[in-house]
Amino acid sequence: MNLSSQCKRSYSLLLTAALLLTALFPAVNFGGGQAYAAGTALAESPAAVPDAATVQLATYSDQDFKLRVLHTNDTHGHLEYVAKRISAIKSERTGNSILLDAGDVFSGTLYFTKFEGLADLEFMNYIGYDAMTFGNHEFDKGLPALKTFMDGASFPFVSANIDFTTKNSELAGLYHNETGLIGDPGTPAKNGNIYPTVIKDVYDEKVGIIGLTTEETVGLSSPGDTITFENYKTSAEKAVSMLQAKGINKIIALSHLGYNIDQQLAVEVPAIDIIVGGHTHTKLDVPVEVPHGSTGDTTLIVQTGEYGQNLGELDVSFNTGGQLTSFSGRLLDIAKYAEDTEAKSMLAPYDAQLEAVRQTVVGNTYTDLYTHRMIDGKSVRVVRQEETPIGNLIADSINSKSTELVSKLLSPSELSSIKGFVAIQNGGGIRAPINQGDITLGEVLTTLPFNNSLVALKVTGKEIISSLENGVSGLEADQGRFPQVSGMRYTFDSAKQPEIVDPASNAVKQEGKRIVSVEIKQPDGSYAPVDPEGYYILSTNSFMAGGGDFYRALAGAKADGRYYELYVPDYEVFNEYLGKIGQVNIGLEGRITNLKGAAASPAPGSGGGTVTAPTPTPSASPAPTPSASGVPAQVTTLTPEDLTQRLAALPAGSSELVIPITASAGGAEVVLPGSALIQQAAATPELVLTFDTGLASYSLPLSVLNGTAITTQLGTGDFTVTVAIKPADAATTAGVNQAAAKQGSLTLAAPVIQFSVTAKAGNRSVPVNRFGSKYVERTIQAGRSLDNKTATGVVYDPDTGALSFVPSVFTTNADGTAKVTIKRASNSYYTVVESSKTFGDLTGHWAKSSIDLLASKLIANGNDTGAFSPSKAVTRAEFAALITRALGLEAVDGTADFTDVSPSKWYAGAIRTASAAGLISGYPNGSFHPDSPITRQEIAAILSKATKHTGTSLPGQMETLGIFKDSSAIAVWSRKSAAEMAAAGIIQGTPDGFFAPGQTATRAEAAVMLEKTLKVLKFIN
């Protein structure tokens, strides 16, 4: 840079430069958090400069100094290309060349996973890099790993905006606050050491180099707290002054700030002649010029893209005053070069070691992480059409990592404006299943083979809905865009009109109408309707963020600068998540529901979780059904003002509002303002409204109200919600009595009450009676004393005419009568029965009391002869039936998910229901082995899933297993579950101190474990 021009800069010239910047800068591939943070609006691309054509900037002389800069950036461990890159460098290097790297050698492939940059370093040393600056990913493994890399380097590092010394970091001894002289025989810059600036002598001309690293490294990587990242502009000015003080007038900035910040740097520090950039993976096919007004000076910006796919080549000329007089630049596609023989032989030993690395076990899954399943006798690729455990797991890994990183990048005020973190993984990106058992790194790479990087976007709720609409519109053609999700749940109807996009123009030819509702998961685990105008962080892979699979809304957010390039490969994100969560124990959680044209209960695959199941299509409201007395219910109507006033009087910290209501002989109905409930649910999703008639009560968690779905199905947001507590009509009561007599002389101990919730608008209504795995409480006053060991709450199913156990707890009122609290995830007819059952073969048996208790509560059954056979092994089918009864799960209709479970078998329904709730899984070949005995560790895993299904997470440290002599024999996939069960006292060891994980459990042991589980969950007294 011409020094006299530099000294004469004025404010007016800076303003001129800024105006020219706005007019001339190309908006090329903005990247990283900086793009969004800067918020700079850049203009249209300038006229393209032909590759390798020379551009004259000032008066040219044959005496001008000619310099060639060869450069790389963001290679990210991609040594699969290195032999060609070495060949390209050898081919293009001349005597006047400098070879530079702008950072992010670390992270991205197995080469880095195994060798932590040392393999890359061997090639960098071999070809002779002159200098490198640090990228954010150089800090991914902390300072010790970076120091090991630096200790082996045959070149210095330049870094002007990182303070390594104040806090005495591990790299402090390598830092020199001076200018290093590359190749100087007297006082050379030490290899592997750090300098804010270095000088390279090229044919007796001095070229200064400074290094800069993004300040967002603190949030994007793991640099620790002993180094500090300082302001890039201030640091650059200081470094340039150091060089100018030594008479240097040709200055190169090795920048890992990102292209958009490089553009600002060029204007802010115009003494920099060339910016060799990185971080944003921007592919600049030709150098970008930043002219500096009337001075005639120019700064050039270059960047090669990513992964070493291109070698940057920049030829420049400087006059004696240090002013750029001409340049030509291009990117060299290394794929066009032959492999360098020496480099290829150097790479071979590393490749051989990676074959062994691929066999490394990185996790274990109890669940079969399938991509296909059998439907009507055919193997169907369901990962592209429905929720799958593997889709849930991968989406969760994306959401977890993005939340961790983006939360560090956003300011507190920005973070407070974000209404949720969600993730989408396209089903087409999941290329292979992972079978039950150990997970190898090779399997991970086969499942996620594309090496897409992680991208977070700031999107509106409307853009989320648009993205999902696109995603569910390719089912018929088995397209890969189907959205597997995390942090949200959605309902769609594949029978409705899909979105149709012209693949040539990317224009929408037909609007999609398949998305019914979208809800966002809240910090407390509840769900709230998506706010179309609110902002969310949506994370996905780089393919989708760029508009792949027709995700136009995501591409639009990226084009708008609302995104953060996190540059972590998807397979690394998944691999890290496997290590974080331990044994994989994931199933279907109701994140995705397909109505398939009939909006009733969830389809058999929608699973458990916390999903609010879709409700039927609205119909004309039927006339009220008279109660047994023929008297209509007493109606209480609460206005929005009433509700607001009651909530205002709620004591601080309370999450339950109890509203006494009056009931007639026909029961009670409470009519509530729908919009007020939905607004309140969004503000305080943990709030529960309890309506108490004195004889019965119903507790409505506001989190179960799916406002979006209700509004969509009623066609309006102006609706009411009616909670009804009514005595059963005469026909239903008669049915209950018949069922009680048929099922073993059960005695009714309380009235039969129908509990229901209905949303209404005009003459249309939508029942809201199924709540996924959210257990809703209702109470019934028995009117007399009851023994909680021989009495139980039950649900009556009018379709089957059967009574079934429901979780129920008995308390005694002041007058000695019993109040029964019933917990279940759906509404129906409920009552209380008494039953005292035992079996003839239990006399003197150690588990008699537990078995009698479960039998009296309609959970445990005997065989055809009336015996229980307590010492007989319990089968997988029998335990599936026991757990579904014990949790009071509503039966799921449909066909079995397993090839060896015949629909005609007694256990088919129980297995189907347990599978849909994510409590059980089969084998990789699609079988379940229903008649095989179940082991103690298998029971531990199922009970762990069962507690989580109910919303209860049991503590369990691995140290707990130390009390068992055979703890090492517990399978990896069951260890966490076994620890939880042992800590809770649900599963105890044998008398001689063994867990006996592989030992078959007996029917008696299963009964005892279930009793303890129910008590821990407070599902029984």
Side-chain angles (χ1 to χ4, degrees):
M1 188 66 68
N2 187 302
L3 291 179
S4 61
S5 298
Q6 172 66 16
C7 295
K8 294 177 182 178
R9 285 190 298 125
S10 67
Y11 178 79
S12 63
L13 286 181
L14 283 176
L15 179 59
T16 301
L19 292 172
L20 284 168
L21 171 70
T22 303
L24 296 176
F25 272 11
V28 181
N29 191 23
F30 292 76
Q34 304 98 327
Y36 176 68
T40 306
L42 300 177
E44 298 294 326
S45 299
V49 181
D51 284 0
T54 298
V55 178
Q56 188 167 323
L57 299 172
T59 303
Y60 177 79
S61 167
D62 289 339
Q63 303 303 311
D64 285 356
F65 166 61
K66 299 175 182 61
L67 174 70
R68 169 167 285 186
V69 180
L70 298 176
H71 56 97
T72 54
N73 61 273
D74 297 283
T75 54
H76 284 291
H78 280 268
L79 294 181
E80 66 268 30
Y81 309 125
V82 74
K84 290 177 178 286
R85 190 199 319 165
I86 295 296
S87 180
I89 293 172
K90 286 183 176 181
S91 173
E92 302 300 323
R93 179 179 258 163
T94 56
N96 64 331
S97 294
I98 295 181
L99 179 58
L100 304 172
D101 187 272
D104 270 8
V105 170
F106 278 25
S107 295
T109 68
L110 275 185
Y111 289 107
F112 179 77
T113 302
K114 172 64 176 175
F115 306 113
E116 296 191 344
L118 299 183
D120 305 75
L121 186 63
E122 181 175 355
F123 294 95
M124 295 179 76
N125 288 341
Y126 167 70
I127 199 60
Y129 273 77
D130 291 301
M132 172 184 171
T133 195
F134 300 108
N136 54 289
H137 283 287
E138 263 68 73
F139 300 92
D140 281 356
K141 295 290 184 179
L143 298 187
L146 178 55
K147 185 177 186 300
T148 300
F149 176 81
M150 294 171 62
D151 287 343
S154 298
F155 50 85
F157 295 81
V158 280
S159 177
N161 72 319
I162 304 178
D163 180 355
F164 294 98
T165 59
T166 300
K167 297 181 181 178
N168 194 30
S169 77
E170 287 141 296
L171 303 182
L174 300 177
Y175 180 78
H176 308 275
N177 190 24
E178 59 189 46
T179 298
L181 306 177
I182 299 175
D184 185 285
T187 56
K190 297 178 181 179
N191 291 334
N193 280 235
I194 311 167
Y195 300 84
T197 61
V198 296
I199 296 173
K200 169 76 174 180
D201 187 295
V202 181
Y203 289 159
D204 294 327
E205 290 283 346
K206 308 296 184 184
V207 179
I209 305 168
I210 72 173
L212 299 166
T213 304
T214 174
E215 297 155 51
E216 291 184 343
T217 299
V218 174
L220 292 173
S221 189
S222 304
D225 56 5
T226 60
I227 64 174
T228 304
F229 292 81
E230 299 175 337
N231 179 265
Y232 76 88
K233 176 179 178 291
T234 303
S235 301
E237 290 172 335
K238 183 178 179 181
V240 166
S241 295
M242 289 178 67
L243 291 172
Q244 290 176 336
K246 293 182 177 295
I248 305 302
N249 61 6
K250 294 173 282 294
I251 299 175
I252 299 173
L254 264 181
S255 163
H256 201 83
L257 300 174
Y259 175 58
N260 53 315
I261 303 299
D262 287 343
Q263 294 172 91
Q264 296 179 30
L265 175 66
V267 174
E268 294 166 338
V269 190
I272 296 172
D273 296 290
I274 301 168
I275 299 175
V276 175
H279 185 48
T280 48
H281 297 214
T282 307
K283 185 182 178 186
L284 299 177
D285 293 309
V286 293
V288 172
E289 297 179 65
V290 183
H292 299 299
S294 60
T295 65
D297 294 336
T298 295
T299 298
L300 301 176
I301 303 175
V302 293
Q303 195 176 151
T304 69
E306 63 186 7
Y307 305 157
Q309 296 168 348
N310 299 293
L311 173 68
E313 179 181 274
L314 175 66
D315 290 318
V316 294
S317 297
F318 293 92
N319 64 22
T320 55
Q323 186 179 38
L324 278 168
T325 58
S326 67
F327 75 89
S328 65
R330 57 180 176 164
L331 296 184
L332 303 169
D333 182 356
I334 66 167
K336 297 178 180 180
Y337 289 80
E339 290 185 319
D340 179 77
T341 304
E342 180 65 21
K344 185 176 181 181
S345 65
M346 290 166 59
L347 186 63
Y350 293 110
D351 285 339
Q353 292 185 64
L354 289 192
E355 285 305 312
V357 173
R358 289 176 179 274
Q359 303 306 314
T360 303
V361 174
V362 296
N364 184 280
T365 176
Y366 177 76
T367 307
D368 178 23
L369 301 175
Y370 59 85
T371 56
H372 294 63
R373 68 182 180 89
M374 298 298 294
I375 299 178
D376 297 330
K378 297 180 180 179
S379 178
V380 178
R381 182 161 52 180
V382 293
V383 76
R384 297 186 178 202
Q385 60 182 243
E386 67 184 26
E387 178 187 359
T388 59
I390 194 169
N392 288 348
L393 186 65
I394 293 172
D396 283 349
S397 73
I398 293 171
N399 205 14
S400 174
K401 187 63 176 179
S402 177
T403 302
E404 171 195 336
L405 295 177
V406 177
S407 295
K408 297 176 183 177
L409 297 175
L410 299 179
S411 67
S413 61
E414 288 176 315
L415 197 58
S416 66
S417 71
I418 299 301
K419 306 192 75 171
F421 285 78
V422 299
I424 298 179
Q425 166 67 46
N426 57 324
I430 304 173
R431 307 301 286 187
I434 297 177
N435 295 332
Q436 188 177 30
D438 287 340
I439 303 172
T440 66
L441 189 54
E443 284 182 293
V444 171
L445 291 167
T446 302
T447 297
L448 297 171
F450 299 119
N451 205 32
N452 286 313
S453 60
L454 187 63
V455 179
L457 304 108
K458 183 179 180 181
V459 300
T460 64
K462 185 177 181 181
E463 287 170 326
I464 291 176
I465 296 170
S466 173
S467 297
L468 295 175
E469 187 68 62
N470 167 70
V472 299
S473 291
L475 271 68
E476 291 80 359
D478 192 37
Q479 293 179 348
R481 53 174 133 161
F482 185 80
Q484 303 284 340
V485 299
S486 176
M488 61 177 161
R489 64 190 185 193
Y490 67 92
T491 298
F492 74 103
D493 190 344
S494 59
K496 292 185 178 180
Q497 175 176 301
E499 180 179 87
I500 298 178
V501 178
D502 184 340
S505 64
N506 205 32
V508 177
K509 297 170 62 178
Q510 174 177 282
E511 180 184 357
K513 297 182 178 180
R514 289 187 166 181
I515 292 297
V516 175
S517 65
V518 180
E519 294 180 291
I520 307 300
K521 193 170 187 178
Q522 305 301 300
D524 65 354
S526 65
Y527 285 82
V530 68
D531 178 358
E533 305 305 321
Y535 277 106
Y536 302 84
I537 296 297
L538 186 152
S539 300
T540 187
N541 56 61
S542 51
F543 168 71
M544 293 173 61
D549 272 343
F550 306 107
Y551 277 89
R552 299 174 317 287
L554 303 188
K558 188 173 183 182
D560 196 35
R562 291 182 278 120
Y563 76 107
Y564 302 85
E565 290 276 14
L566 303 177
Y567 297 121
V568 187
D570 52 7
Y571 89 87
E572 279 194 2
V573 171
F574 188 50
N575 191 31
E576 178 184 306
Y577 189 67
L578 291 175
K580 178 181 178 180
I581 64 173
Q583 190 256 337
V584 176
N585 198 359
I586 195 168
L588 302 179
E589 300 178 354
R591 301 185 190 187
I592 305 170
T593 301
N594 184 358
L595 302 181
K596 299 181 180 179
S601 58
S606 63
T610 56
V611 64
T612 301
T615 46
T617 302
S619 58
S621 299
T625 303
S627 66
S629 65
V631 177
Q634 177 71 45
V635 177
T636 300
T637 301
L638 295 181
T639 65
E641 293 73 24
D642 293 334
L643 191 59
T644 300
Q645 190 175 35
R646 291 173 185 268
L647 290 171
L650 194 64
S654 177
S655 59
E656 182 183 22
L657 173 62
V658 179
I659 302 175
I661 56 175
T662 302
S664 67
E669 290 184 350
V670 185
V671 181
L672 304 160
S675 59
L677 292 182
I678 300 305
Q679 290 174 8
Q680 193 63 47
T684 53
E686 72 281 2
L687 184 65
V688 176
L689 303 183
T690 296
F691 307 98
D692 193 346
T693 70
L695 297 177
S697 72
Y698 185 84
S699 297
L700 177 68
L702 295 191
S703 61
V704 305
L705 295 176
N706 184 338
T708 305
I710 294 172
T711 297
T712 300
Q713 293 170 46
L714 288 175
T716 177
D718 184 14
F719 60 87
T720 60
V721 174
T722 300
V723 177
I725 306 173
K726 298 180 179 181
D729 58 46
T732 302
T733 302
V736 171
N737 282 308
Q738 291 174 7
K742 184 178 179 181
Q743 291 178 228
S745 301
L746 305 178
T747 303
L748 262 64
V752 182
I753 305 292
Q754 180 185 23
F755 298 90
S756 65
V757 178
T758 307
K760 298 179 181 180
N763 64 346
R764 298 165 70 82
S765 65
V766 173
V768 184
N769 287 323
R770 292 184 175 86
F771 314 118
S773 63
K774 180 69 174 180
Y775 280 71
V776 173
E777 293 188 1
R778 68 278 289 159
T779 67
I780 298 176
Q781 296 287 350
R784 62 185 179 90
S785 63
L786 292 173
D787 183 349
N788 61 60
K789 292 183 175 59
T790 58
T792 186
V794 292
V795 60
Y796 174 66
D797 184 346
D799 293 334
T800 63
L803 296 171
S804 304
F805 166 82
V806 287
S808 43
V809 176
F810 292 74
T811 55
T812 302
N813 297 317
D815 61 357
T817 59
K819 181 176 78 169
V820 187
T821 300
I822 294 171
K823 308 174 184 181
R824 195 164 183 255
S826 60
N827 291 328
S828 187
Y829 296 94
Y830 293 91
T831 187
V832 182
V833 298
E834 288 182 296
S835 171
S836 181
K837 290 188 178 181
T838 189
F839 301 94
D841 56 349
L842 293 182
T843 303
H845 195 279
W846 63 272
K848 175 177 168 52
S849 62
S850 297
I851 297 170
D852 286 348
L853 178 69
L854 296 191
S856 297
K857 292 187 178 293
L858 312 185
I859 297 172
N861 297 327
N863 57 31
D864 293 338
T865 66
F868 186 76
S869 303
S871 300
K872 183 181 177 181
V874 65
T875 68
R876 289 166 58 83
E878 288 173 332
F879 197 77
L882 285 169
I883 194 66
T884 56
R885 292 188 207 123
L887 296 183
L889 299 182
E890 185 174 17
V892 172
D893 296 328
T895 57
D897 294 330
F898 307 105
T899 57
D900 56 350
V901 177
S902 170
S904 62
K905 292 290 188 179
W906 67 267
Y907 49 66
I911 291 175
R912 185 168 57 247
T913 299
S915 176
L919 306 181
I920 60 173
S921 58
Y923 294 89
N925 64 359
S927 63
F928 181 71
H929 298 184
D931 298 318
S932 296
I934 193 168
T935 64
R936 288 165 58 85
Q937 64 184 358
E938 287 175 328
I939 286 181
I942 292 173
L943 293 180
S944 175
K945 291 180 180 180
T947 58
K948 292 179 176 64
H949 177 80
T950 67
T952 301
S953 293
L954 299 179
Q957 302 299 321
M958 291 302 179
E959 293 78 10
T960 306
L961 300 180
I963 64 174
F964 302 113
K965 297 177 181 178
D966 58 347
S967 60
S968 61
I970 302 174
V972 174
W973 54 261
S974 185
R975 292 183 67 80
K976 189 172 187 301
S977 301
E980 292 172 357
M981 295 302 107
I986 293 173
I987 299 182
Q988 298 175 337
T990 62
D992 48 357
F994 291 88
F995 188 86
Q999 180 177 304
T1000 298
T1002 66
R1003 287 166 57 83
E1005 289 174 328
V1008 172
M1009 294 177 197
L1010 273 180
E1011 178 197 13
K1012 291 179 177 179
T1013 300
L1014 292 174
K1015 288 181 176 178
V1016 166
L1017 295 175
K1018 297 181 180 176
F1019 277 9
I1020 60 173
N1021 292 79

